Amino acid sequence: MESRMEHFEAVVIGGGAAGASVAYELSCFGPVVLVEREAGLGYHSTGRSAAVISENYGPLGWQTLVTASRPFFEAPPPGFASNPLLHRIGALYFGTREQEASLRNDEAELKRRGVSCRLLPATEAARLSPTVRTNGFTLALHEPECADIDADALVQGYVRAGKARGLRTLMSTEAVTLERRTAVWHVRTSGVEFTASRVVNAAGSWADEVAARAGIRPKGLQPYRRTAITFEAPEGSDVRSWPMTFDVAETWYFKPEAGHVMVSPVDKTACPACDAAPDEYDVALAIDRIENATIMKVRRIVSRWAGLRTFAADEQPVIGPDPDEASFHWLAGQGGNGVMGAPGAAQLAAALAMGESLPGFVGAYGMDIGRVLPSRNFVAKAAKQQAAV
């Protein structure tokens, strides 16, 4: 006779922003266990993110979840964090004449969701971001409420608040096997075994691998490497007053970072799930792009790193029950939006996992849930589009 194992309402695989936030949301429904392979939380993508909240960044599905997340960032539960989670810096998106229509559409969508923004001539926007070379740019979108996020405080706050509800965390522990039998999931980790009513796959770049272990068909999630460096700010510059600055084509962005300047070439190099490291070519690309786009010179690199950004084929979120097994839930495909969209995405994922009413923001923003569910045929659709090119 099989011995009785500890049972949980849910097991969450992954201890980044996604896993920590959904574990917290689920912990009010019953006992939850979070399983993280690394020794620390947020080691991979979360800990290497630019960690800002910009409601104009990414595909529309994520933009909506980011707007839905702002109330949590601005007013987390009492005792969640000792300091504010946000530090406002603002953002500017510079576009060429050919990109003006796109910027006007962005402005209209942001205003529809109640996001503060305005369009500025590029020359006027350059007064806010004074190092940008405006030749070639004609228009910019200013998003004044863009803010830095304290990503570590966010993750730690979620886990601490979850533990107060009974959340269990298993660090340096890997979910080796996940098997559905006798109407529950039997989970064997590198340390313990237990059962759970449902699995929530928040494993980031490893999400398809976790699914395969559970006998669930992968969703074609692809990790990509993204590089960033920080360098010394121009002498005499008060970088603290600079907004985060992008070009609409997404070939670079930069922002103030602890008295220095952080820049990324927004590289997107397909790679397997791994502990990403910066490539010298991508570092050189970051330097070349920032020196061409601005009057800044990179005289000394202060730090360099790389992180993984994982996308579904249509680049939309993958949230909700698997179409082949309703007790296996996805919270994946963040594509670089995972930290800023964590609160909203977790609220949606938890509601879908527990069969609860959808969060109010779904109706308020007219969010099409069908565009984020794992049941959508995004892999076949993307392959068909690619074949037609």
Side-chain angles (χ1 to χ4, degrees), residues 43-44 48 206 272-277 306 308:
Y43 176 77
H44 290 285
R48 307 176 200 193
W206 287 264
C274 64
D275 188 355
L308 298 181

Side-chain angles (χ1 to χ4, degrees), residues 154-307:
L154 177 70
V155 173
Q156 298 295 339
Y158 269 129
V159 171
R160 184 170 53 251
K163 285 182 176 179
R165 295 173 171 175
L167 172 67
R168 181 94 56 88
T169 58
L170 301 177
M171 307 302 298
S172 302
T173 304
E174 187 165 10
V176 179
T177 62
L178 301 99
E179 182 183 1
R180 178 79 174 170
R181 66 177 191 270
T182 60
V184 294
W185 285 94
H186 292 251
V187 182
R188 181 170 65 85
T189 75
S190 48
V192 298
E193 294 185 43
F194 53 85
T195 60
S197 297
R198 54 190 56 77
V199 173
V200 178
N201 182 6
S205 296
W206 287 264
D208 267 354
E209 181 181 321
V210 167
R213 290 182 201 171
I216 301 296
R217 287 185 296 172
K219 296 292 173 277
L221 298 171
Q222 175 61 57
Y224 294 89
R225 187 179 67 240
R226 178 168 295 181
T227 307
I229 65 171
T230 60
F231 63 94
E232 291 182 332
E235 188 174 349
S237 297
D238 182 10
V239 298
R240 295 172 300 176
S241 65
W242 293 0
M244 187 166 188
T245 306
F246 306 77
D247 73 325
V248 170
E250 282 199 83
T251 61
W252 52 264
Y253 62 70
F254 69 89
K255 75 181 190 83
E257 183 81 12
H260 302 297
V261 180
M262 189 207 86
V263 60
S264 173
V266 201
D267 46 323
K268 193 176 177 184
T269 305
C271 63
C274 64
D275 188 355
D279 180 86
E280 285 305 315
Y281 171 80
D282 295 326
V283 171
L285 189 64
I287 295 171
D288 180 69
R289 288 185 177 175
I290 198 66
E291 290 188 342
N292 277 286
T294 73
I295 60 174
M296 293 187 284
K297 296 294 180 184
V298 181
R299 295 183 171 83
R300 185 177 75 87
I301 295 176
V302 177
S303 61
R304 65 187 77 194
W305 68 95

Side-chain angles (χ1 to χ4, degrees), residues 67-198:
T67 297
S69 297
R70 182 175 284 279
F72 186 96
F73 283 120
E74 293 181 338
F80 187 90
S82 56
N83 294 302
L85 294 174
L86 300 182
H87 170 68
R88 192 172 72 174
I89 58 173
L92 281 172
Y93 290 81
F94 280 88
T96 63
R97 187 169 303 282
E98 293 73 24
Q99 294 162 341
E100 286 186 9
S102 175
L103 283 173
R104 295 186 193 283
N105 287 337
D106 290 345
E107 178 200 33
E109 170 58 29
L110 288 172
K111 287 185 174 180
R112 184 186 73 83
R113 301 198 311 268
V115 180
S116 176
C117 65
R118 60 177 176 149
L119 290 172
L120 299 171
T123 51
E124 184 177 339
R127 296 173 191 162
L128 299 173
S129 190
T131 67
V132 174
R133 300 181 192 273
T134 56
N135 47 314
F137 295 125
T138 59
L139 193 66
L141 177 67
H142 183 215
E143 184 188 350
E145 299 300 321
C146 174
D148 273 325
I149 301 169
D150 188 333
D152 182 65
L154 177 70
V155 173
Q156 298 295 339
Y158 269 129
V159 171
R160 184 170 53 251
K163 285 182 176 179
R165 295 173 171 175
L167 172 67
R168 181 94 56 88
T169 58
L170 301 177
M171 307 302 298
S172 302
T173 304
E174 187 165 10
V176 179
T177 62
L178 301 99
E179 182 183 1
R180 178 79 174 170
R181 66 177 191 270
T182 60
V184 294
W185 285 94
H186 292 251
V187 182
R188 181 170 65 85
T189 75
S190 48
V192 298
E193 294 185 43
F194 53 85
T195 60
S197 297
R198 54 190 56 77

